[in-house]
């Protein structure tokens, strides 16, 4: 499958992820969806560095291994976009100087998902 923009198939899912993140006060400005796009790129996740991931966020692009992803995963990746919108230089520096498991931005994205997950009844 080729590229899918935020308004072409993933728009409603991105809006739900944004609504979840909008409940948090991590940054002074809420996440902005303008120019955010979602691209399904299974070929990327065959490359050695990306094999362990199901999704990966760049500045304004969320890359997915496959089209069928959970709300939690999309919220996690959109949180990375939000982090980049608010702290681009620091986030880039931390990304290249910190191990994945101890990266504070990775931990924050996981926390954002946990704090906004709908409660089971």
């Amino acid at each position: 499958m080729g590229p899918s923009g935020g308004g072409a198939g993933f728009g409603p899912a991105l809006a739900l992820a944004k609504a979840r993140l909008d409940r948090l006060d991590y940054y002074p400005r809420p996440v902005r969806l303008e120019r955010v796009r979602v691209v399904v790129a299974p070929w990327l996740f065959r490359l050695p560095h990306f094999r362990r991931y199901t999704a990966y966020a760049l500045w304004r692009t969320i890359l997915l291994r496959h089209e069928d992803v959970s709300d939690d995963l999309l919220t996690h990746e959109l949180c990375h976009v939000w982090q980049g919108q608010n702290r681009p230089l620091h986030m880039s520096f931390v990304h290249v100087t910190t191990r994945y498991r101890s990266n504070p931005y990775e931990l924050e994205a996981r926390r954002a998902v946990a704090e906004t997950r709908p409660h089971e009844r």
Side-chain angles (χ1 to χ4, degrees), residues 4-22 31 33 36-40 62 64 66-79 113 116:
S4 300
F10 287 98
L14 279 175
L16 285 173
K18 176 185 173 19
R20 286 175 68 173
L21 295 176
D22 283 349
V31 63
L33 293 182
V36 173
R37 63 189 186 134
V38 177
V39 177
V40 179
I62 297 172
L64 302 176
H66 49 79
E67 192 173 321
D68 184 26
V69 297
S70 70
D71 294 336
D72 284 353
L73 181 60
L74 202 54
T75 300
H76 178 100
E77 298 305 326
L78 187 60
C79 185
V113 168
T116 63

Side-chain angles (χ1 to χ4, degrees), residues 10-51:
F10 287 98
L14 279 175
L16 285 173
K18 176 185 173 19
R20 286 175 68 173
L21 295 176
D22 283 349
R23 299 187 340 228
L24 303 172
D25 63 354
Y26 294 176
Y27 299 99
R29 295 181 311 268
V31 63
R32 297 177 310 281
L33 293 182
E34 300 84 32
R35 297 186 293 177
V36 173
R37 63 189 186 134
V38 177
V39 177
V40 179
W43 58 269
L44 176 75
F45 297 94
R46 292 185 200 111
L47 299 175
H49 175 73
F50 293 95
R51 285 183 186 149

Side-chain angles (χ1 to χ4, degrees), residues 91-106:
M91 188 179 175
S92 297
F93 176 76
V94 168
H95 183 72
V96 297
T97 60
T98 309
R99 295 181 62 118
Y100 176 79
R101 291 191 186 274
S102 59
N103 182 321
Y105 291 107
E106 187 60 36

